[in-house]
Amino acid sequence: MTEADHPVLVVDLGAQYAQLIARRVREAHVYSEIVQHSISAAEVAAKQPGAIILSGGPKSVYEEGSPSIDPGIYELGIPILGICYGAQLLARDLGGTVTATGRGEYGRTELEVSRSTGLLESWGSGTVVWMSHGDQITAGPAGSVSMASTPEAPVAAFGDDDRRIYGVQFHPEVAHTERGQELIAMFLHDLAGLAPTWTNVSIIEAEVAKVQAQVGDEKVLCALSGGVDSAVAAALVHKAVGDQLTCVFVDTGLMRSNEGDQVEETFKNQFHVELIHVKAADRFFAALAGVTDPEAKRKIIGELFIRIFEEVARELGAGSGGDGPRYLVQGTLYPDVIESGSGHAANIKSHHNVGGLPEDLDFELCEPLRALFKDEVRAVGEELGLPEHIVWRQPFPGPGLAVRIVGEVTPERAEILRNADAVVVEEVKRAGLYRELWQSFAVLPAVRTVGVMGDGRTYAYPIIIRAVTSDDAMTADWARLPYDVVETIANRLINEVDGVNRVALDVTSKPPGTIEWE
Ligand code: XMP
């Protein structure tokens, strides 16, 4: 199945859970898309969805201005699952009742199951579910049967097998709900009859076909950053159009240890991709000499990056109207595309100012990851044979080590930080923590401190260990690294990295701190 065929539409009714629901649907191997609740029945029909899921939401269905959907959608004969607010909306719109008792139900609750077939096939009473609601459904839609209850939810699940309309008051998409993923799969596969065909292999086939159709026999350019998104995008496009693709890796001198070599090894030697490795460290250090203001650093790096990329593109004939590259690959992901109205994507992107496009070259964009969530990108990367160190690499900011070097960025200071960073990463990996941490790295402040080593006094830099957990980088918590790991890192930093005589641990969450230091 390609994504264009019968997507599951997840209607966003104002919950923070719409994305999570869409991901759970994908985990059940069915393609999903998030749509706004203002979508019309005609627009829904035009997408020929295989099923519809109505998300939760923070409002009460009887509140003025609470989100609702075009009632024409109910007449399309498409299987519908309502979750929490979505279930209440189904009850309100289709002849059931929702009442406000003033008593909500939040968190873990045990379900009393009265009908363990269909949606709740073989579920027993006592199954733990996760609740978050103020109002109660007291009667499901006309024609539906009540399937379960809880102390504060007389109708905690309902189903109408004839119309294929189902609702659950609880949240099957959250991990705390036992059998939640099973319920979603039951709805999609058994009740809506959707085949589980959205797999890594089918994603690759579909995206390869799309890239081929878009690009034809034109040439394509891709800026590799060393990060997972651009790497997977490049590998997919290469699979689609082979040597029509040229990749450019600009080594700014501010990359992580071995990053350039690993990109070269993977793309040039393993995938045989045409790779231009621009060694531009000198230009970046020259441009950054004497600059200490964080925003000025970002701007200088961003602009120089674009200028260098432009030079390479022009040398290849881009923008000349000849047979130079016409398409530019971008690793845009689905969460960037979703118009959630939450402003999250906009916030994250506002400082993703490095690797921006040279506007006057007039490329058309090729975005093979536009439909994918990050975990799918990683899975596709693995399927395509990209090595683990690229697929599972932690995020790294566009301006590179520069935003972790407080004060002036010099080749010497960049070298100290790169060596320190390699030690932090190595030990975090050795402790088996690398994948569960959002980021873990070293920071070089602009002070030096006195120390004593052997017989002598030292006056050298401290290194700050920064490690955070996070889901999306919008908020983050400082990671409680085990003390023995901190100790090993600290010992190695002081013994192995020239120029370092002290180690500190950053225990700031975001907010109030940011993840990076600049
Ligand atoms: P902060 O430091 O704002 O960072 O908490 C949030 C996430 O974004 C990354 N980051 C960047 N990524 N270009 C990027 O591509 C940038 O200029 C940039 N600045 C920060 C940071 O590593 C973290 O994951």
Side-chain angles (χ1 to χ4, degrees):
M1 184 173 81
T2 71
E3 67 206 51
D5 298 329
H6 314 302
V8 170
L9 300 185
V10 178
V11 181
D12 186 352
L13 289 158
Q16 69 233 32
Y17 294 123
Q19 270 204 44
L20 191 52
I21 297 170
R23 275 174 47 203
R24 296 287 183 241
V25 172
R26 305 269 186 105
E27 281 168 24
H29 303 296
V30 178
Y31 178 69
S32 61
E33 271 177 31
I34 295 175
V35 296
Q36 300 303 301
H37 64 82
S38 53
I39 192 168
S40 70
E43 287 166 327
V44 169
K47 287 178 177 281
Q48 301 190 333
I52 294 172
I53 299 182
L54 306 179
S55 82
K59 296 239 165 125
S60 157
V61 287
Y62 291 119
E63 227 172 281
E64 180 111 13
S66 59
S68 55
I69 62 169
D70 180 345
I73 293 172
Y74 300 128
E75 307 308 320
L76 297 173
I78 298 164
I80 302 179
L81 171 66
I83 293 176
C84 190
Y85 180 91
Q88 296 179 357
L89 198 62
L90 290 172
R92 185 197 71 179
D93 289 354
L94 299 174
T97 46
V98 180
T99 46
T101 59
R103 292 192 311 274
E105 195 175 28
Y106 301 93
R108 181 186 191 282
T109 312
E110 287 185 15
L111 213 54
E112 182 68 35
V113 178
S114 53
R115 187 166 177 266
S116 51
T117 57
L119 205 54
L120 304 185
E121 179 67 42
S122 79
W123 282 42
S125 289
T127 305
V128 171
V129 296
W130 205 255
M131 287 290 196
S132 179
H133 64 108
D135 295 352
Q136 299 179 336
I137 301 172
T138 37
S144 72
V145 293
S146 172
M147 304 170 69
S149 62
T150 70
E152 295 299 335
V155 181
F158 59 78
D160 177 345
D161 286 324
D162 293 335
R163 291 185 73 183
R164 294 195 292 176
I165 287 182
Y166 305 89
V168 287
Q169 183 59 70
F170 55 89
H171 288 273
E173 75 278 21
V174 305
H176 312 285
T177 292
E178 287 174 12
R179 307 185 70 172
Q181 182 62 20
E182 214 180 296
L183 183 148
I184 289 170
M186 170 61 78
F187 169 69
L188 297 169
H189 304 156
D190 295 70
L191 304 175
L194 301 174
T197 51
W198 180 254
T199 61
N200 298 332
V201 173
S202 75
I203 294 173
I204 292 170
E205 280 170 5
E207 295 304 330
V208 162
K210 274 206 300 193
V211 172
Q212 287 167 339
Q214 182 192 10
V215 167
D217 54 10
E218 298 282 348
K219 292 193 177 138
V220 189
L221 201 56
C222 176
L224 283 175
S225 69
V228 55
D229 301 344
S230 66
V232 175
L236 255 177
V237 173
H238 185 253
K239 190 174 173 68
V241 298
D243 59 11
Q244 286 163 250
L245 172 72
T246 302
C247 289
V248 180
F249 178 74
V250 179
D251 185 344
T252 59
L254 300 163
M255 321 301 288
R256 288 166 283 192
S257 184
N258 290 330
E259 199 151 7
D261 293 344
Q262 286 176 350
V263 166
E264 187 151 334
E265 164 61 29
T266 302
F267 283 90
K268 213 168 186 163
N269 302 347
Q270 186 188 335
F271 283 86
H272 307 294
V273 169
E274 184 66 34
L275 176 72
I276 299 176
H277 188 157
V278 187
K279 300 196 170 152
D282 293 350
R283 289 177 70 178
F284 281 90
F285 287 123
L288 288 166
V291 181
T292 54
D293 177 64
E295 284 308 306
K297 284 186 200 169
R298 279 173 185 275
K299 212 157 165 265
I300 288 167
I301 296 167
E303 283 173 7
L304 184 53
F305 182 92
I306 290 178
R307 205 170 317 139
I308 291 172
F309 190 75
E310 231 168 24
E311 287 167 13
V312 175
R314 280 196 213 284
E315 271 169 33
L316 293 169
S320 63
D323 69 347
R326 203 174 123 201
Y327 291 92
L328 185 68
V329 178
Q330 287 274 289
T332 317
L333 306 192
Y334 190 48
D336 300 329
V337 176
I338 300 166
E339 306 160 303
S340 65
S342 66
H344 277 202
N347 274 344
I348 294 176
K349 276 163 118 183
S350 65
H351 63 212
H352 283 203
N353 51 0
V354 171
L357 304 184
E359 277 173 20
D360 58 341
L361 277 179
D362 215 17
F363 284 110
E364 283 176 48
L365 291 186
C366 174
E367 300 179 300
L369 312 180
R370 241 184 114 75
L372 305 186
F373 288 107
K374 189 87 173 185
D375 38 4
E376 292 174 314
V377 170
R378 291 209 158 106
V380 162
E382 283 180 333
E383 183 70 40
L384 287 167
L386 285 170
E388 178 178 349
H389 60 76
I390 288 186
V391 170
W392 287 98
R393 190 161 245 177
Q394 291 174 351
F396 188 59
L401 298 178
V403 295
R404 300 175 181 170
I405 298 175
V406 181
E408 190 181 3
V409 179
T410 63
E412 296 73 32
R413 301 189 76 215
E415 191 57 21
I416 293 175
L417 184 60
R418 189 174 6 262
N419 292 336
D421 187 68
V423 168
V424 174
V425 169
E426 217 175 286
E427 290 305 324
V428 165
K429 281 187 177 165
R430 198 193 308 277
L433 300 170
Y434 187 75
R435 285 197 194 183
E436 69 190 64
L437 295 175
W438 176 264
Q439 279 170 292
S440 45
F441 54 85
V443 174
L444 181 68
V447 293
R448 282 186 287 172
T449 72
V450 173
V452 52
M453 261 172 132
D455 296 333
R457 172 187 182 279
T458 58
Y459 188 52
Y461 292 112
I463 283 290
I464 319 284
I465 302 171
R466 179 67 166 149
V468 297
T469 54
S470 176
D471 287 327
D472 55 8
M474 298 302 298
T475 60
D477 195 9
W478 62 278
R480 274 59 171 176
L481 292 178
Y483 276 169
D484 57 339
V485 175
V486 174
E487 183 184 13
T488 310
I489 293 173
N491 285 340
R492 285 196 56 198
L493 286 173
I494 289 165
N495 289 325
E496 295 175 26
V497 183
D498 281 345
V500 173
N501 69 349
R502 189 180 292 271
V503 177
L505 182 66
D506 184 348
V507 293
T508 320
S509 293
K510 174 183 179 177
T514 50
I515 296 174
E516 304 293 345
W517 268 43
E518 289 197 337

